[in-house]
């Protein structure tokens, strides 16, 4: 969902090897080892889950934890993703211990950093993180998403990457192929074998928008909630940013695809190109200016469009007849339009001033341990953050195996779109507030993107 640093080639090779060799049981040794917990804990902690995202897993983990520790009460509190940062800041700025363990995304790190505990010293050696916690089983690049200033501010509960979903039946249809060729003068690009350019993505979305057996051309997030727009826009900018590294400087984990040497790129040539692409996609999508993180997957699962740009979570349930009507007719493209995408993850953090640090640490260790890690996949369909859980994912979802291999390829070509600095929320807010004016034509892309950049520099100067 949200908000990330790229997984290295070594990590991805490890994932692919694990996926291919799952029949041999690679990682099985660590998959369900129980994590020994300290018994010197008691009292109550409040754990925040993103509503409809990781809440089922955290409720199960909380129940398991309380069963092992009768003197502990774990309250799992649901908070919508879009309003979670505001809720955290309200509590933390008032020095309230309303939340002890919270769900976070990389984009949250900048603004929340002063309030989050550095768990690194505890992970590296303490009674709360025993050897069975197995740090080598963690996907290290996902761990790195939640580091800032040398501090490990959170531990992953899920990996993620922005991917392109598509329905093969629309692209393999001879009638559609002929009609597209006649209308656009080139062959209908098939995501299974071709890396679509951004212009081809727009052409295909327009071609299927309300035509050729489809209600809409594509599903993309475009609502006004924090981070939804910036996620999709950032994914479209990724390939342009990589291709123009000679002009704008190398893409680094600190600056992601937006900034290089302190320069905001939204009003640059490539920034405006990505914005123009985004506007055209929103125009061909379902629910312009209203489709959200929570609603987009359901639209695609109903069969409303032949394409969707989104995070990896839906790949775990699109073959589930109870959650999807397109089982057997969906796939993840091996490469994202343009060739590069954005990668991310979600994690759990501890409020630095929690009044029950021992129990919060014990719960964090337990929730991210090999024995409990599977719950985020089995109950909430989240991409594993431990290598060992990939083997479980593949064995339990054999129909989705090809999609997961393609997910790993996307992760390999993913870059973080966030920055850890506290101004990232400002960038997101300015894009969100100005985009409707560009979408309606009130402001041109040049005027709108310049406004965004001007607002940003005015804000940080103040």
């Amino acid at each position: 969902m949200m908000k990330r640093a790229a997984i290295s080639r070594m990590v991805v090779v490890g994932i692919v090897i694990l996926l291919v060799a799952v029949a041999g049981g690679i990682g099985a040794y660590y998959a369900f080892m129980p994590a020994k917990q300290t018994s010197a804990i008691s009292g109550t902690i409040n754990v925040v889950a993103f509503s409809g995202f990781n809440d089922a897993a955290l409720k199960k983990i909380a129940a398991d934890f309380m069963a092992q520790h009768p003197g502990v009460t774990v309250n799992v509190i649901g908070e919508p993703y879009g309003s979670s940062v505001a809720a955290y800041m309200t509590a933390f700025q008032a020095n309230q211990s309303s939340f002890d363990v919270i769900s976070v995304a990389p984009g949250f790190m900048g603004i929340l950093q002063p309030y989050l505990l550095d768990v690194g010293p505890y992970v590296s050696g303490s009674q709360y993180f025993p050897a069975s916690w197995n740090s080598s089983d963690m996907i290290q690049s996902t761990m790195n998403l939640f580091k800032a200033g040398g501090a490990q501010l959170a531990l992953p509960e899920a990996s993620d990457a922005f991917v392109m979903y598509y329905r093969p039946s629309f692209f393999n249809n001879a009638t559609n192929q002929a009609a597209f060729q006649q209308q656009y003068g080139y062959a209908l690009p098939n995501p299974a074998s071709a890396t679509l350019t951004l212009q081809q993505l727009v052409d295909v979305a327009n071609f299927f928008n309300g035509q050729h057996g489809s209600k809409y051309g594509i599903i993309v997030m475009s609502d006004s909630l924090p981070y939804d727009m910036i996620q999709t826009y950032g994914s479209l900018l990724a390939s342009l940013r990589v291709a123009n590294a000679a002009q704008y400087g190398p893409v680094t984990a600190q600056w992601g695809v937006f900034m290089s040497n302190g320069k905001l790129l939204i009003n640059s040539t490539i920034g405006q190109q990505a914005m123009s692409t985004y506007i055209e996609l929103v125009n061909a999508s379902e629910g312009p200016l209203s489709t959200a993180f929570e609603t987009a997957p359901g639209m695609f699962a109903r069969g409303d469009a032949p394409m969707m740009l989104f995070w990896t979570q839906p790949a775990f349930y699109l073959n589930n007849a109870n959650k999807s009507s397109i089982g057997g007719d969906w796939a993840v493209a091996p490469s994202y339009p343009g060739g590069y995408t954005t990668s991310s993850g979600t994690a759990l953090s501890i409020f630095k001033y929690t009044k029950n640090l021992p129990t919060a640490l014990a719960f964090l260790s337990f929730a991210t341990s090999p024995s409990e890690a599977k719950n985020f996949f089995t109950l909430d369909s989240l991409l594993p953050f431990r290598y060992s859980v990939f083997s479980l994912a593949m064995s339990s979802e054999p129909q989705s195996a090809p999609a997961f291999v393609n997910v790993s390829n996307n992760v390999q070509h993913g870059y973080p779109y966030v920055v850890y600095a506290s101004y990232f929320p400002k960038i997101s807010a300015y894009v969100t507030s100005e985009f409707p004016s560009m979408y309606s034509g009130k402001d041109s892309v040049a005027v709108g993107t310049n406004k965004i950049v001007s607002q940003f520099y005015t804000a940080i100067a103040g």
Side-chain angles (χ1 to χ4, degrees):
M1 197 180 207
M2 295 149 268
K3 314 139 187 165
R4 304 72 155 146
I7 292 184
S8 68
R9 178 177 297 274
M10 182 176 296
V11 168
V12 174
V13 169
I15 292 175
V16 173
I17 290 173
L18 180 64
L19 299 184
V20 172
V22 64
I26 291 179
Y29 175 76
Y30 293 113
F32 304 110
M33 288 177 59
K36 181 180 179 182
Q37 298 290 336
T38 175
S39 59
I41 59 174
S42 60
T44 299
I45 58 170
N46 296 322
V47 176
V48 181
F50 291 138
S51 300
F53 182 73
N54 61 348
D55 42 4
L58 285 175
K59 288 176 182 177
K60 174 63 165 59
I61 292 168
D64 293 346
F65 187 73
M66 289 187 287
Q68 289 192 15
H69 303 284
V72 170
T73 298
V74 178
N75 297 318
V76 177
I77 302 169
E79 184 71 43
Y81 173 83
S83 60
S84 57
V85 171
Y88 298 157
M89 291 301 294
T90 298
F92 296 163
Q93 289 177 341
N95 198 27
Q96 297 176 350
S97 292
S98 306
F99 312 129
D100 299 287
V101 179
I102 62 173
S103 295
V104 296
F108 298 4
M109 294 294 97
I111 193 169
L112 295 179
Q113 182 176 351
Y115 306 99
L116 303 181
L117 179 73
D118 178 6
V119 299
Y122 299 95
V123 172
S124 60
S126 74
Q127 61 178 322
Y128 302 104
F129 290 84
S132 60
W133 190 78
N134 190 20
S135 60
S136 65
D137 187 41
M138 301 286 284
I139 297 176
Q140 292 303 309
S141 56
T142 306
M143 289 274 284
N144 293 340
L145 288 170
F146 302 96
K147 288 182 178 178
Q152 185 74 53
L153 300 177
L155 295 180
E157 61 175 12
S159 299
D160 213 346
F162 225 86
V163 300
M164 176 182 175
Y165 296 85
Y166 70 98
R167 297 184 63 192
S169 64
F170 284 84
F171 291 86
N172 297 333
N173 183 285
T175 301
N176 289 345
Q177 292 171 351
F180 187 91
Q181 176 76 51
Q182 182 178 15
Q183 183 173 346
Y184 290 93
Y186 66 93
L188 175 64
N190 194 320
S193 56
T195 298
L196 277 66
T197 66
L198 295 185
Q199 185 58 57
Q200 287 175 334
L201 178 66
V202 169
D203 288 347
V204 173
N206 287 332
F207 175 75
F208 283 115
N209 190 28
Q211 306 173 80
H212 310 292
S214 181
K215 293 181 180 179
Y216 305 96
I218 194 168
I219 306 296
V220 295
M221 293 183 291
S222 61
D223 66 301
S224 61
L225 292 176
Y227 305 116
D228 283 0
M229 283 189 182
I230 203 76
Q231 291 173 24
T232 309
Y233 169 68
S235 73
L236 298 169
L237 181 54
S239 61
L240 298 172
R241 179 67 179 86
V242 173
N244 290 273
Q247 179 179 356
Y248 296 109
V251 180
T252 66
Q254 180 180 5
W255 297 117
V257 296
F258 291 108
M259 307 186 71
S260 179
N261 300 324
K263 180 179 176 61
L264 191 60
L265 298 174
I266 291 177
N267 67 337
S268 69
T269 299
I270 61 172
Q272 292 180 356
Q273 182 180 346
M275 187 63 73
S276 296
T277 299
Y278 184 36
I279 290 171
E280 292 197 67
L281 293 178
V282 172
N283 190 55
S285 69
E286 183 171 2
L289 304 185
S290 63
T291 300
F293 176 84
E294 291 81 5
T295 60
M299 296 174 176
F300 185 71
R302 288 196 301 266
D304 290 356
M307 299 185 295
M308 177 174 68
L309 305 181
F310 201 73
W311 301 107
T312 56
Q313 185 190 17
F316 290 91
Y317 61 76
L318 286 174
N319 281 327
N320 185 329
N322 293 324
K323 298 183 178 181
S324 170
S325 61
I326 60 172
D329 184 27
W330 68 276
V332 172
S335 57
Y336 198 74
Y340 288 87
T341 185
T342 52
S343 53
S344 187
T346 53
L348 298 173
S349 294
I350 294 178
F351 176 41
K352 184 185 295 185
Y353 306 109
T354 175
K355 295 180 180 178
N356 196 342
L357 181 58
T359 301
L361 282 167
F363 180 82
L364 180 63
S365 171
F366 184 80
T368 57
S369 67
S371 62
E372 297 296 312
K374 65 183 185 297
N375 289 309
F376 294 101
F377 160 65
T378 58
L379 299 180
D380 284 314
S381 301
L382 302 182
L383 192 69
F385 60 97
R386 285 184 173 273
Y387 293 111
S388 58
V389 182
F390 268 97
S391 61
L392 174 65
M394 301 308 293
S395 62
S396 62
E397 295 279 356
Q399 279 187 291
S400 302
F404 291 126
V405 172
N406 288 343
V407 163
S408 72
N409 189 65
N410 278 270
V411 171
Q412 181 181 3
H413 296 89
Y415 285 88
Y417 77 88
V418 303
V419 292
Y420 288 123
S422 60
Y423 48 69
F424 179 73
K426 293 184 176 65
I427 298 174
S428 176
Y430 299 147
V431 169
T432 301
S433 63
E434 179 58 28
F435 182 80
S437 294
M438 291 185 286
Y439 174 73
S440 67
K442 177 182 178 181
D443 286 340
S444 68
V445 170
V447 169
T449 55
N450 280 321
K451 281 185 178 180
I452 292 168
V453 173
S454 176
Q455 288 175 315
F456 167 73
Y457 284 120
T458 298
I460 63 174

